[in-house]
Amino acid sequence: MEKTVAIELKGITKVFGDVIANKNVDLELYRGEILSVLGENGSGKTTLMNMIAGIYFPDEGQIFVDGKEVVIKSPKDAFAHKIGMIHQHFKLVDVFTAADNIILGEKCPKFDVKQEAERIRAEHEAENKAFEEYKPEEHTGVLSYMKAPKFHKPSETKRKIAALPFVKLGRAMKFNWLARHRADEVQKIANKFGFQIDLKKKIYDMSVSEKQTVEIIKVLYRGADILILDEPTAVLTPQEIDKLFEVLRNMKAHGKSIIIITHKLNEVMEISDRVAVLRKGEHIATVNTSETNEQELTEMMVGKKVSLNIDRTEPHDAKDRLVVSGLTALNEEGVKVLDDVSFEARSGEILGIAGIAGSGQRQLLEAIAGLYKVKSGEITYNDPNNEDKPVDLRSKTPLQIRNLGVRLSFVPEDRLGMGLVGNMDLVDNMMLRSYRKGFMFLDRKSPKKLAETIVEELEVVTPSTHTAVRKLSGGNVQKVLVGREISSAPTVLMAAYPVRGLDINSSYTIYNLLNEQKEKGVAVIFVGEDLDVLIELCDRIMVICAGKVTGVVDGRTANKNDIGLLMMGKSSEENEAADNETQAIKEDGIDE
Amino acid sequence: MSNMKNSARTLKEAKEPLFHLVKRQQISTGKAWAIRIGTIIFSILFISVLTSIVFRESPFEVIKYMFEGAFGTNLRVNVFFRDMSILLIIALAVTPAFKMKFWNIGAEGQVLISAYLTIVCMYYLGGKVSNGALIVISLLAALVGGMAWAVIPAIFKALWNTNETLFTLMMNYIALQIVLFSIKVWMPAGSGQLAPLPYGNLPHIGGGDYVTSIIVAIIITLFLFVYMRFSKHGYEVAVVGESQNTARYIGINVPKIIVRTLALSGAICGVAGFLIAAGIDHTVSIDTVGGRGFTAVLVSWLGQFNPLAMTVMSFVVILLTIGTTNVMVNSGVANDFFAEVSTGVAFLIIIICEFFIRYNIKFRKRVENDHPAVPDNQQQAELQEGGTAHIEDENEIGSEEVE
Amino acid sequence: MIAAFLKSAIRLSATFLFGSTGEIIIEKGGHLNLGIPGVMSVGAACGCIAEFYMVRAFGTSAPFMLLAIPILVTLLTGALMGLLFSFLTVTLRANQNVVGLAMTTFGVGLAGYLITKMQSQNFIIITRASKFYLNLFNLAGNDNWFVKIFLSHGILVYIAIILAIVVQIILSKTRVGLNLRAVGENPATADAAGINVTKYRYVSTCVGCAISALGGLFCIMDYMGGNWEYILEGYGWLSIALVIFTMWRPALAIPGSFIFGGLYILSSYIDGVTFAQMEIINILPYAVAIVVLIITSIFGKKNVQPPAALGLSYFREER
């Protein structure tokens, strides 16, 4: 089969401020193939794809669809070229059914009065003719008279035709009826590609994977031939991933071209025909999946093997500081988000928590901090200031925990939505932790001093300590937050994705801060997504999958492969078996 | 909301309309207030012109009459500041709740019920206890009434997130019906109006009923200023208003703060009601508050919750009310409603002005990309690896407006 | 007695029904318009003034003009108020609560001003037109209880009910309804789907305000028999409360407004209550509104919640 080019990118460059997101990228996508776009976080994959989907407009370069140069300035333009993108954040109306979401905003066919009049006339004539030829005696049965043709008087035909301009007006104002069986129409498309989904279900009753399916069907329903999926597997369980891949293959068989953005090598190998690798905004190479292996891809992706060089000291005098046992918690829908989680965090040690995003990391930390309702299980803190006397933290409010003398610091994932108040300045944000001191009135002096110290020591770039934190960049916001949390001399420090969205320098600042705390004897809990960092930084790594602990490994001996499998919910025995048998997934196989 | 982007916009220039709006990055407080004061002066002038057209007087005459009506005689000055004080007190009362994003539009009912309870005390206890004791008792009753009317919706808001806007609104009408009921009990026949009661009236300071209100208003203004800015309570209110998540994160008991703040709101409304009933009217009717509860909401909001700015706003509102009434008296037209119209128009003008403080209109030109492109929160997420990692650490002060 | 009570309840309910049908349209598009009392007042005032000039011009000889022109003027006035609201909240991005309250102050004041001004003339003549509102399609005189209760009303009562049903159908069964609901639930999604959020919000607010304004005209010309009273502000607020009572469904607003209407006039139909006791009974509609508010907030499921984006402005640039 001869391959025809669906999309071609030539010399695409995109600059944000001083930062080059994409530099002179050339890329080709053929009809009926699945192309993986592979790259690490920050390599410019999503930016590149957003330019095809009309979210951004390239600064330089050309885009060709079917060999013709096109200008894509908005998602609408992209659709006109039959390009559809499924973003990580779903755009769905919660209270609508899946089918209604899919048909939302669909273009209605043009209504032509003349044509419609012709149609009615012809229809009536045909039926009148049938009426004349109809012999009632030939048709028996109860419902026969319902099926019998009816006679249309000329006046009726005339009336109907005269009404057409008003129908047109109604159509123009979109008073079109929603077909009672609109779900069936959509269902046909779903069936064609093998989606299994109840389209009459409301979105708020759906799982993430179902929502994703709805998004994909929506794009297909609009007639897209080229689909771009932005990290579709990040939020899915292994079974759901299998299902998704099956559907993708099905779509490929129907001649659709698919681009899948990912940084998971095993998926690349499994699903794609070709792989385009991006590194730091540049296109490194595009290779056929069958002619490459994970080792090669990894090298292309990361370039030279980079050693992170995080200084890891041996923990000394590690004592169980925080002991969690049998922790179970339910979400609003009554689904277990934490399922019998047990572990201990030790003083002078960094405990890493690895897992696919949304496996219960947030709930775990919030439960410990007293922010998430626990159904069963124990959270015990051994107070170092009181001869390690155990203190029960379960179902305590953050204030009660504080009042028990527990020095628990928490850097939440949502920095400006939870950890800090965006509209307040640095000083007032420092005060969040300390304002209760004193009588009636606020003491702004010591928070100001603290803010100044943090600005100086962590090199926070800000015009003054009276600037609203929302005006700072992500890295600086994080420094402010971590700085504040560390300043209260904690004995337990929990940090959720503390380096997300940060550049290398800021990230290292954070790693160093965590290490410093560890050396001070603090029990540090670090929820991360980059396995390389987890392995180099943490003393032990706990892996969770769908709210369950699937294993705890030693950071000094662990490899990415083992952790990756644990993240998928496979135990280490299966793990080894898998290793021995297939050698399918090699070291560095799974990123994140 | 509102993170107006200049960033990625320049790239989409091609499809931009003739002009676009750019959220002002940093407008100095001074400049913002200069615009506001300018708008207020403009709105007074505008209404003068409007009045002059409606009543066929020259605008200068109108302005003269307006100020004469407000400050023409000693008595007028006193009445002016008294009315302004009452309005200001009610506006101050709703402010802490607003700061907490609790849309209490029930000030009308809160003030009415406390004025009513004051009169109840005066009616039933008048002559039986000493005047001093009566004043204390009725003040307490007023405080309790105002607090109850504010706290009841607050409790439901705190526990079940019941819509407070409509709840407080309905409470207004319940208060109104209770007043109607009592008046009919007290005055089964006749005019249906309760004559001023001679008991438990506040003593006149300086020979009139004005000074007390003014003093109380000043005290409450100062109190609230300090409370909101320097007290722990005020800080907690601000945090809850900005983000309930953050509040819970640092261990604030959010329901408690909501109820406590509304209790304060209600109590201040109680003071206002008490001043109206015991200090000024000595009676109660369904017109006792006369829409001042709603006006106060707008005063508080358009004064940016700043007690000083609210003072200015109350000044303007009362000036327009008294002023336009005086214009009418002088031109021989009796129409009580014109004052309300002019206040409404003034509010609308000031609302429009707020827009120009927040946004700059930029006409379409290839604006040089003076603000580094930094995606807002959501885009950042979408962009997770769109190079943001590199951008992040630049200092984008003033380029990123995330609210 | 009961028949008379039910009849009055239904008659009054048309005011609430117009008001809440209008507000539902507005809220479905994501706008919380607290200016309805103002809209109803101004709409009614302008309609009555139009009526005044019509009566003066035609006497009572041209029923069509006496009906059509004031109704048209009322609709137009309402739509203009809606335009003002949308302009301030959509284009100038002002807070919806503040604009709504300011519009109520402005609207109630303007209505009062206009009416006071008119009353210096022979404004009372508009009562003569009242019978046309009352008599058209009115089957009073028939002894059948059904006809007595349900079919002996003025034309606007029927229009209110039909309108509520039509709006319900449009909202739930047509594409424009689907689009509007999407705009109120998740404007960003609607925008991405190619729906013009600004247009939908402008149009829905104008249409909704026009319908609400008609409630004001009905109240004065039919229910009050052409006598102007300053009661529309309260009715406006109750209409807004009714929207919650009906869980954003115009079809439910029909029985809902019957109940509100019944509660509102209940006190006059109970034997042996004093005037004072009547005032206590008059608390009922407000108390019931509060109770419903509380119940829906405690037990409310996803599908009885307000539109998710209610009260929030949407600006595309903030995607």
Side-chain angles (χ1 to χ4, degrees):
Chain A
M1 195 179 92
E2 200 177 322
K3 288 197 265 183
T4 52
V5 177
I7 289 193
E8 188 179 0
L9 305 182
K10 268 192 189 159
I12 298 286
T13 299
K14 175 81 199 167
V15 180
F16 289 110
D18 301 336
V19 177
I20 300 165
N22 286 120
K23 191 174 161 193
N24 203 14
V25 176
D26 296 328
L27 197 68
E28 279 176 344
L29 172 70
Y30 297 116
R31 289 274 167 217
E33 75 157 353
I34 299 179
L35 173 73
S36 288
V37 176
L38 182 70
E40 284 195 313
N41 276 339
S43 58
K45 301 177 296 224
T46 305
T47 311
L48 184 65
M49 291 304 122
N50 275 337
M51 281 186 275
I52 305 177
I55 307 282
Y56 298 135
F57 193 70
D59 293 342
E60 280 169 39
Q62 297 155 293
I63 301 176
F64 299 87
V65 175
D66 290 330
K68 271 178 242 144
E69 182 170 0
V70 295
V71 180
I72 302 175
K73 284 176 303 198
S74 70
K76 257 187 190 167
D77 293 348
F79 259 119
H81 297 297
K82 300 194 166 188
I83 301 167
M85 181 158 170
I86 291 115
H87 297 272
Q88 275 180 299
H89 300 267
F90 304 137
K91 286 198 181 330
L92 296 170
V93 179
D94 258 3
V95 296
F96 283 10
T97 62
D100 283 350
N101 263 295
I102 290 165
I103 64 164
L104 187 68
E106 131 193 59
K107 282 268 169 296
C108 305
K110 271 242 166 15
F111 187 86
D112 188 70
V113 174
K114 265 187 193 158
Q115 253 176 30
E116 200 65 7
E118 279 309 311
R119 194 185 60 78
I120 288 178
R121 211 168 280 141
E123 199 183 292
H124 283 192
E125 266 169 29
E127 226 175 306
N128 287 352
K129 211 170 166 191
F131 179 81
E132 278 161 25
E133 290 162 1
Y134 184 72
K135 297 189 183 76
E137 56 277 11
E138 283 174 12
H139 302 265
T140 51
V142 188
L143 292 174
S144 65
Y145 93 102
M146 283 186 74
K147 288 177 199 154
K150 287 169 193 68
F151 182 73
H152 301 276
K153 286 182 199 157
S155 64
E156 186 194 339
T157 314
K158 230 183 215 169
R159 202 174 61 233
K160 280 209 164 162
I161 290 172
L164 285 176
F166 297 100
V167 178
K168 186 177 167 86
L169 184 71
R171 288 284 168 90
M173 289 163 73
K174 296 219 173 57
F175 282 108
N176 313 31
W177 295 112
L178 292 171
R180 183 180 287 268
H181 303 294
R182 57 189 182 274
D184 302 348
E185 280 299 302
V186 185
Q187 192 77 51
K188 274 183 208 156
I189 293 195
N191 293 344
K192 184 174 156 194
F193 294 101
F195 292 100
Q196 283 161 1
I197 189 160
D198 176 9
L199 289 167
K200 286 174 186 159
K201 207 164 159 186
K202 295 266 168 75
I203 299 296
Y204 58 73
D205 285 330
M206 289 189 161
S207 67
V208 183
S209 129
E210 283 175 300
K211 288 181 192 171
Q212 187 182 57
T213 310
V214 174
E215 284 280 9
I216 296 173
I217 299 176
K218 189 161 93 180
V219 171
L220 289 172
Y221 183 79
R222 300 252 181 115
D225 281 338
I226 298 160
L227 285 91
I228 305 166
L229 292 93
D230 190 0
E231 304 221 8
T233 58
V235 288
L236 301 182
T237 65
Q239 293 83 357
E240 288 168 341
I241 293 174
D242 287 344
K243 245 195 237 167
L244 173 70
F245 283 178
E246 202 168 305
V247 167
L248 291 183
R249 286 191 197 102
N250 231 325
M251 296 199 298
K252 184 174 104 177
H254 279 89
K256 309 277 181 195
S257 313
I258 296 161
I259 298 179
I260 168 169
I261 303 177
T262 183
H263 52 198
K264 295 179 186 169
L265 280 170
N266 58 337
E267 291 171 358
V268 170
M269 300 305 292
E270 190 183 339
I271 189 75
S272 58
D273 300 310
R274 293 187 308 137
V275 193
V277 185
L278 293 187
R279 186 170 75 219
K280 296 199 170 120
E282 287 183 64
H283 179 223
I284 301 302
T286 301
V287 290
N288 288 329
T289 312
S290 53
E291 293 162 13
T292 185
N293 57 43
E294 294 183 10
Q295 200 63 50
E296 194 186 38
L297 287 176
T298 312
E299 273 163 26
M300 282 196 270
M301 199 163 94
V302 297
K304 261 185 280 159
K305 173 82 183 158
V306 193
S307 176
L308 289 169
N309 281 328
I310 300 173
D311 205 15
R312 175 163 53 193
T313 52
E314 286 294 326
H316 52 89
D317 191 24
K319 284 184 191 146
D320 287 357
R321 182 65 60 226
L322 189 74
V323 182
V324 172
S325 63
L327 197 67
T328 301
L330 308 179
N331 67 5
E332 277 167 21
E333 279 90 44
V335 177
K336 276 186 191 173
V337 281
L338 291 177
D339 190 353
D340 197 18
V341 172
S342 301
F343 69 91
E344 57 286 321
R346 297 185 191 133
S347 58
E349 189 189 81
I350 298 182
L351 173 71
I353 297 182
I356 299 171
S359 300
Q361 297 96 321
R362 182 175 67 81
Q363 287 86 350
L364 177 60
L365 297 198
E366 287 187 7
I368 296 171
L371 294 166
Y372 202 88
K373 221 179 142 200
V374 173
K375 185 166 166 276
S376 60
E378 297 301 324
I379 305 167
T380 317
Y381 168 79
N382 297 323
D383 193 348
N385 299 330
N386 199 358
E387 296 166 354
D388 286 344
K389 206 177 131 213
V391 182
D392 180 20
L393 296 191
R394 191 195 145 183
S395 300
K396 295 265 192 317
T397 65
L399 191 58
Q400 284 169 325
I401 292 175
R402 215 134 237 268
N403 290 342
L404 284 170
V406 178
R407 290 218 296 272
L408 180 74
S409 284
F410 177 26
V411 179
E413 183 180 346
D414 186 0
R415 291 161 209 166
L416 286 177
M418 188 180 242
L420 299 167
V421 177
N423 278 331
M424 289 185 172
D425 64 16
L426 267 66
V427 176
D428 278 14
N429 269 297
M430 290 301 135
M431 216 153 59
L432 282 171
R433 282 291 189 205
S434 63
Y435 82 94
R436 284 197 183 80
K437 280 182 211 141
F439 168 75
M440 279 293 287
F441 295 105
L442 297 166
D443 163 27
R444 274 199 173 80
K445 271 188 202 138
S446 38
K448 178 152 174 72
K449 238 182 231 157
L450 176 61
E452 280 162 0
T453 317
I454 289 175
V455 167
E456 199 174 308
E457 286 184 5
L458 303 186
E459 291 163 351
V460 178
V461 184
T462 172
S464 85
T465 52
H466 289 294
T467 307
V469 288
R470 73 184 155 87
K471 292 188 174 166
L472 305 185
S473 71
N476 288 315
V477 167
Q478 187 67 321
K479 284 180 192 170
V480 170
L481 175 56
V482 173
R484 186 193 70 202
E485 287 304 298
I486 289 174
S487 70
S488 58
T491 48
V492 178
L493 172 65
M494 303 191 289
Y497 307 109
V499 297
R500 184 179 274 176
L502 267 54
D503 71 1
I504 298 297
N505 283 331
S506 302
S507 298
Y508 272 86
T509 311
I510 302 294
Y511 301 145
N512 290 338
L513 285 171
L514 295 180
N515 262 330
E516 252 171 50
Q517 293 301 307
K518 165 185 162 181
E519 276 163 37
K520 281 187 188 162
V522 177
V524 179
I525 300 176
F526 171 84
V527 177
E529 43 196 349
D530 188 336
L531 290 186
D532 285 318
V533 171
L534 279 163
I535 288 172
E536 290 224 15
L537 179 70
C538 302
D539 299 295
R540 288 181 306 140
I541 301 164
M542 176 171 91
V543 189
I544 57 176
C545 171
K548 276 189 192 150
V549 176
T550 47
V552 179
V553 295
D554 192 314
R556 289 176 177 75
T557 56
N559 66 43
K560 276 179 165 183
N561 180 19
D562 294 346
I563 297 175
L565 284 167
L566 287 170
M567 280 164 61
M568 300 296 180
K570 292 173 190 157
S571 69
S572 21
E573 292 97 67
E574 279 176 58
N575 197 346
E576 271 163 32
D579 257 8
N580 298 338
E581 273 172 34
T582 61
Q583 284 289 323
I585 301 160
K586 300 206 173 103
E587 191 165 15
D588 296 339
I590 299 162
D591 193 0
E592 193 188 11
Chain B
M1 319 191 292
S2 85
N3 9 32
M4 174 82 190
K5 303 298 319 144
N6 336 326
S7 55
R9 302 190 55 73
T10 37
L11 315 162
K12 297 190 222 156
E13 210 93 34
K15 64 166 181 172
E16 296 263 304
L18 185 63
F19 60 87
H20 67 246
L21 302 165
V22 176
K23 190 157 186 168
R24 283 182 196 260
Q25 303 308 341
Q26 240 149 4
I27 182 162
S28 68
T29 327
K31 198 173 164 195
W33 285 109
I35 296 180
R36 286 191 183 114
I37 300 283
T39 316
I40 286 170
I41 293 169
F42 170 77
S43 63
I44 294 176
L45 291 178
F46 181 85
I47 283 159
S48 308
V49 172
L50 190 74
T51 317
S52 71
I53 294 166
V54 171
F55 295 106
R56 301 198 175 80
E57 301 265 357
S58 89
F60 302 105
E61 285 289 286
V62 166
I63 293 180
K64 200 189 99 196
Y65 284 143
M66 273 171 76
F67 280 88
E68 242 178 45
F71 310 111
T73 64
N74 251 344
L75 180 70
R76 283 179 179 173
V77 172
N78 286 328
V79 169
F80 181 90
F81 282 107
R82 180 194 73 193
D83 288 0
M84 179 181 146
S85 304
I86 297 290
L87 181 63
L88 179 59
I89 292 172
I90 306 175
L92 289 167
V94 292
T95 302
F98 281 169
K99 197 93 189 181
M100 208 174 57
K101 302 219 164 84
F102 182 104
W103 308 125
N104 170 19
I105 55 172
E108 189 89 5
Q110 287 148 24
V111 176
L112 183 60
I113 200 72
S114 37
Y116 162 74
L117 287 176
T118 308
I119 296 298
V120 167
C121 294
M122 284 158 67
Y123 188 87
Y124 289 106
L125 297 177
K128 290 172 196 155
V129 296
S130 74
N131 243 1
L134 184 55
I135 288 175
V136 174
I137 293 170
S138 45
L139 175 61
L140 285 177
L143 291 178
V144 168
M147 278 160 87
W149 245 241
V151 163
I152 293 169
I155 290 172
F156 286 96
K157 171 76 178 180
L159 295 182
W160 292 290
N161 200 24
T162 308
N163 183 317
E164 73 280 13
T165 317
L166 291 160
F167 202 138
T168 48
L169 188 66
M170 292 297 111
M171 294 296 278
N172 291 342
Y173 284 90
I174 293 183
L176 203 71
Q177 289 300 329
I178 292 175
V179 171
L180 279 172
F181 163 74
S182 294
I183 289 174
K184 290 205 170 139
V185 169
W186 293 333
M187 301 272 128
S191 63
Q193 278 180 350
L194 184 68
L197 297 168
Y199 322 103
N201 294 348
L202 285 180
H204 286 180
I205 303 174
D209 54 7
Y210 347 97
V211 182
T212 322
S213 311
I214 296 168
I215 292 171
V216 173
I218 292 171
I219 292 170
I220 292 181
T221 311
L222 291 177
F223 164 76
L224 217 68
F225 182 76
V226 173
Y227 182 84
M228 295 307 293
R229 185 142 319 169
F230 299 112
S231 84
K232 288 189 202 173
H233 283 194
Y235 182 72
E236 285 174 335
V237 167
V239 174
V240 171
E242 289 288 347
S243 160
Q244 297 210 356
N245 251 340
T246 306
R248 288 194 302 118
Y249 162 78
I250 58 165
I252 290 177
N253 183 345
V254 176
K256 187 182 122 191
I257 304 296
I258 291 179
V259 173
R260 187 184 72 196
T261 307
L262 264 288
L264 176 71
S265 251
I268 300 177
C269 280
V271 173
F274 173 76
L275 283 176
I276 294 173
I280 301 167
D281 287 355
H282 313 304
T283 179
V284 69
S285 78
I286 53 169
D287 292 324
T288 293
V289 191
R292 281 181 280 188
F294 292 114
T295 311
V297 168
L298 292 166
V299 166
S300 166
W301 189 294
L302 297 176
Q304 308 286 307
F305 311 138
N306 176 330
L308 193 70
M310 279 153 59
T311 314
V312 176
M313 282 299 300
S314 327
F315 178 90
V316 173
V317 170
I318 300 295
L319 175 68
L320 289 176
T321 315
I322 294 184
T324 48
T325 311
N326 193 50
V327 175
M328 278 182 294
V329 170
N330 276 290
S331 54
V333 188
N335 195 331
D336 305 340
F337 290 94
F338 191 76
E340 233 175 294
V341 178
S342 54
T343 323
V345 171
F347 282 142
L348 293 176
I349 293 174
I350 293 164
I351 288 170
I352 294 171
C353 132
E354 279 305 310
F355 172 78
F356 290 102
I357 290 177
R358 282 183 295 138
Y359 294 94
N360 240 337
I361 295 182
K362 280 201 176 162
F363 288 90
R364 189 182 152 186
K365 250 183 272 166
R366 178 89 199 175
V367 206
E368 169 253 345
N369 194 359
D370 49 351
H371 308 292
V374 168
D376 57 80
N377 278 346
Q378 266 189 31
Q379 272 175 333
Q380 225 166 58
E382 276 179 15
L383 248 187
Q384 275 237 334
E385 44 186 44
T388 35
H390 310 285
I391 310 167
E392 280 303 337
D393 203 41
E394 297 179 325
N395 173 22
E396 303 116 6
I397 301 297
S399 74
E400 192 182 13
E401 290 271 339
V402 187
E403 205 178 275
Chain C
M1 186 69 185
I2 289 179
F5 166 67
L6 290 177
K7 187 189 156 188
S8 298
I10 290 175
R11 189 171 166 205
L12 174 59
S13 77
T15 308
F16 301 135
L17 193 50
F18 276 121
S20 54
T21 306
E23 178 74 7
I24 288 172
I25 297 175
I26 299 168
E27 290 196 11
K28 277 287 180 192
H31 272 163
L32 178 63
N33 185 354
L34 293 180
I36 289 294
V39 172
M40 280 174 116
S41 303
V42 179
C46 291
C48 288
I49 290 166
E51 192 73 78
F52 172 75
Y53 286 111
M54 285 299 116
V55 175
R56 214 162 65 170
F58 300 104
T60 51
S61 60
F64 178 76
M65 297 301 273
L66 293 183
L67 276 177
I69 300 294
I71 289 179
L72 210 66
V73 168
T74 305
L75 290 175
L76 217 66
T77 318
L80 277 177
M81 290 292 275
L83 196 65
L84 176 66
F85 184 88
S86 329
F87 176 70
L88 292 174
T89 57
V90 177
T91 306
L92 295 193
R93 307 167 182 203
N95 178 291
Q96 296 179 13
N97 287 346
V98 174
V99 174
L101 284 178
M103 261 176 61
T104 292
T105 307
F106 169 71
V108 173
L110 184 62
Y113 169 74
L114 292 173
I115 293 298
T116 313
K117 201 158 186 257
M118 295 306 288
Q119 274 165 347
S120 61
Q121 303 178 46
N122 194 16
F123 196 58
I124 196 77
I125 58 171
I126 63 165
T127 51
R128 286 186 221 159
S130 171
K131 65 177 181 214
F132 296 108
Y133 287 84
L134 213 54
N135 291 346
L136 204 61
F137 297 109
N138 190 336
L139 302 182
N142 191 316
D143 265 350
N144 182 311
W145 65 270
F146 184 83
V147 174
K148 245 186 186 165
I149 295 172
F150 293 102
L151 296 179
S152 39
H153 296 287
I155 181 171
L156 283 178
V157 176
Y158 309 126
I159 291 183
I161 293 171
I162 294 168
L163 205 60
I165 295 169
V166 168
V167 169
Q168 175 74 65
I169 293 171
I170 289 176
L171 282 178
S172 54
K173 303 267 188 240
T174 69
R175 190 161 284 280
V176 68
L178 185 76
N179 291 357
L180 180 64
R181 282 184 289 140
V183 167
E185 289 288 343
N186 192 337
T189 297
D191 193 17
I195 297 168
N196 187 336
V197 175
T198 307
K199 191 173 94 187
Y200 267 83
R201 287 199 158 173
Y202 259 93
V203 172
S204 67
T205 306
C206 290
V207 170
C209 283
I211 292 175
S212 303
L214 205 51
L217 184 72
F218 164 82
C219 183
I220 299 302
M221 287 312 296
D222 182 322
Y223 189 72
M224 300 303 299
N227 296 299
W228 181 274
E229 287 268 358
Y230 296 102
I231 47 175
L232 288 174
E233 189 179 355
Y235 288 179
W237 291 124
L238 267 178
S239 304
I240 296 175
L242 193 62
V243 173
I244 293 188
F245 187 87
T246 61
M247 298 176 288
W248 292 269
R249 287 187 194 127
L252 280 183
I254 299 170
S257 59
F258 288 178
I259 295 171
F260 263 47
L263 292 173
Y264 208 84
I265 57 164
L266 183 65
S267 57
S268 334
Y269 284 85
I270 299 178
D271 283 328
V273 293
T274 63
F275 283 118
Q277 286 163 340
M278 276 169 74
E279 301 297 350
I280 288 297
I281 296 169
N282 284 342
I283 290 180
L284 270 175
Y286 310 109
V288 168
I290 288 176
V291 170
V292 171
L293 203 59
I294 292 169
I295 290 174
T296 50
S297 66
I298 297 176
F299 302 107
K301 293 211 188 72
K302 262 252 147 105
N303 48 358
V304 298
Q305 293 305 313
L310 185 63
L312 305 176
S313 305
Y314 170 71
F315 317 119
R316 151 129 19 117
E317 307 88 294
E318 291 166 9
R319 248 191 325 202

